[in-house]
């Protein structure tokens, strides 16, 4: 099987400032060049909603010129867990989706707001309404919404049961390998729960203590088991890395981290049997 690899856009000027406007079009162009020069096939836009529409369209053209596939975008607008939050969240999520369509990606990664298990019935209804409201725009743009694992097994089982019940063709899952470990699971376990609904990945590493977003191979995740679980569920999408330009406890190294991720993954998947 031929694999395609991708990496998220990292701010090229040191630690990404709180004000994302700093990550402007020239900086994003530099981030894309770093991804291409490391040998990746595609990219995820980690920060794009501060850009105006023509800038988002320009990024799509830049990807085309560089031979990079714009694979995914990350929205930082959470899917609502409370019914009262649905009317406010849906238009903002719609803006995320419109921006993602302008970037030309096929996956929009979303976090679902958490809730205590006692509030799961309401959470279920809130999530259903929000996802269904996004359906027409997602379908028109050919974009799949990918819910990321951000909490423990109980939370994941809730989301898996919900997606099973709703059976919306434009909704799937994103496995975040680092989050799996920090919430008491193995990445392979999360991948198996997501199964055929897995539509994208956030491959990132840590030492089991904090959300480091290290390049795969730089922490303690057993990556052969991740690779084998992805094959087991038949995942055929881009193998997307999610490293950080705001790493805790160290200085950002966008070029070094991007290169390290590319060479580690190429080697790991070349050894697949
Ligand atoms: Zn992630």
């Amino acid at each position: 099987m031929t694999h395609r690899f991708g990496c998220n856009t990292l701010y090229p000027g040191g630690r990404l400032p709180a004000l994302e406007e700093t990550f402007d079009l020239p900086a994003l162009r530099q981030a894309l060049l770093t991804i291409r020069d490391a040998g990746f096939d595609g990219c995820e836009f980690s920060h794009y909603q501060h850009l105006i529409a023509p800038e988002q369209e320009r990024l799509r053209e830049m990807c085309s010129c560089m031979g990079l596939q714009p694979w995914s975008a990350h929205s930082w607008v959470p899917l609502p867990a409370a019914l009262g939050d649905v009317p406010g969240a849906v238009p903002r999520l719609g803006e995320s989706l419109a921006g993602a369509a302008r970037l030309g990606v096929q996956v929009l990664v979303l976090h679902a707001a958490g809730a205590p298990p006692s509030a799961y019935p309401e959470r279920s209804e809130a999530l259903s309404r929000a996802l269904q409201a996004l359906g027409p725009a997602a379908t028109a743009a050919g974009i799949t919404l990918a819910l990321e694992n951000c909490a423990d097994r109980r939370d994941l089982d809730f989301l898996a049961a919900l997606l099973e019940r709703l059976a919306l063709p434009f909704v799937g899952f994103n496995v975040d390998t680092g989050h799996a470990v920090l919430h008491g699971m193995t990445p392979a376990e999360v991948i198996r729960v997501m199964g055929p609904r897995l539509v994208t990945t956030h491959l990132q590493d840590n030492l089991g203590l904090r959300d480091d977003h290290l390049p795969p191979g730089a922490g303690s995740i057993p990556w052969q088991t991740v690779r084998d679980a992805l094959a087991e569920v038949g995942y055929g999408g881009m193998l997307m890395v999610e490293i950080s330009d705001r790493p805790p406890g160290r200085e950002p190294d966008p070029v070094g981290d991007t290169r390290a991720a590319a060479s580690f993954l190429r080697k790991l998947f070349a050894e697949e049997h």
Side-chain angles (χ1 to χ4, degrees):
M1 180 174 182
T2 310
H3 296 291
R4 287 172 306 140
F5 301 89
C7 191
N8 63 313
T9 49
L10 295 173
Y11 182 59
R15 187 167 294 272
L16 177 63
L19 198 65
E20 292 179 351
E21 276 67 15
T22 317
F23 207 166
D24 57 11
L25 203 57
L28 271 156
R29 181 174 179 277
Q30 188 59 45
L32 292 174
L33 286 169
T34 296
I35 293 168
R36 184 200 64 182
D37 291 348
F40 281 107
D41 307 298
C43 63
E44 169 164 303
F45 292 94
S46 296
H47 304 277
Y48 69 96
Q49 291 195 249
H50 57 291
L51 302 169
I52 57 173
E55 291 176 324
Q56 292 167 342
E57 282 159 6
R58 182 76 188 102
L59 283 170
R60 177 188 196 146
E61 292 166 15
M62 281 183 194
C63 282
S64 171
C65 291
M66 292 182 199
L68 277 177
Q69 183 181 354
W71 171 257
S72 51
H74 199 325
S75 170
W76 296 101
V77 181
L79 284 161
L83 285 171
D85 293 337
V86 175
V90 166
R92 295 177 63 222
L93 287 160
E95 280 173 36
S96 293
L97 190 49
R102 285 189 284 268
L103 293 169
V105 301
Q106 48 190 283
V107 177
L108 179 63
V109 174
L110 295 166
H111 292 180
S118 60
Y120 277 0
E122 179 176 353
R123 187 187 185 200
S124 178
E125 186 58 30
L127 269 168
S128 306
R129 288 189 196 176
L131 290 171
Q132 274 159 347
L134 296 169
T139 304
I143 290 178
T144 304
L145 309 176
L147 275 57
E148 177 167 335
N149 59 301
C150 295
D152 59 12
R153 177 67 192 254
R154 191 166 185 173
D155 188 271
L156 178 62
D157 284 343
F158 162 81
L159 292 174
L162 179 72
L163 293 205
E164 188 65 28
R165 182 168 63 78
L166 294 177
L168 299 169
F170 58 90
V171 184
F173 275 119
N174 167 43
V175 58
D176 187 303
T177 53
H179 293 176
V181 172
L182 296 176
H183 292 287
M185 294 176 280
T186 65
E189 176 185 350
V190 173
I191 290 165
R192 289 193 186 100
V193 172
M194 294 177 170
R197 292 202 189 280
L198 182 66
V199 294
T200 193
T201 68
H202 276 174
L203 305 178
Q204 55 120 337
D205 216 333
N206 62 47
L207 298 163
L209 300 171
R210 64 184 181 192
D211 202 14
D212 289 303
H213 285 265
L214 293 166
S220 55
I221 287 178
W223 285 96
Q224 290 87 352
T225 66
V226 177
R227 178 195 65 198
D228 295 347
L230 288 169
E232 192 183 307
V233 302
Y235 179 70
M238 191 169 281
L239 294 155
M240 181 60 62
V241 171
E242 191 196 38
I243 43 186
S244 180
D245 39 24
R246 286 173 178 151
R250 68 187 178 104
E251 284 306 304
D253 180 9
V255 173
D257 283 357
T258 305
R259 283 185 187 158
S263 60
F264 179 82
L265 289 178
R266 291 245 176 234
K267 187 163 182 291
L268 176 75
F269 282 87
E271 289 164 359
E272 195 172 23
H273 40 264

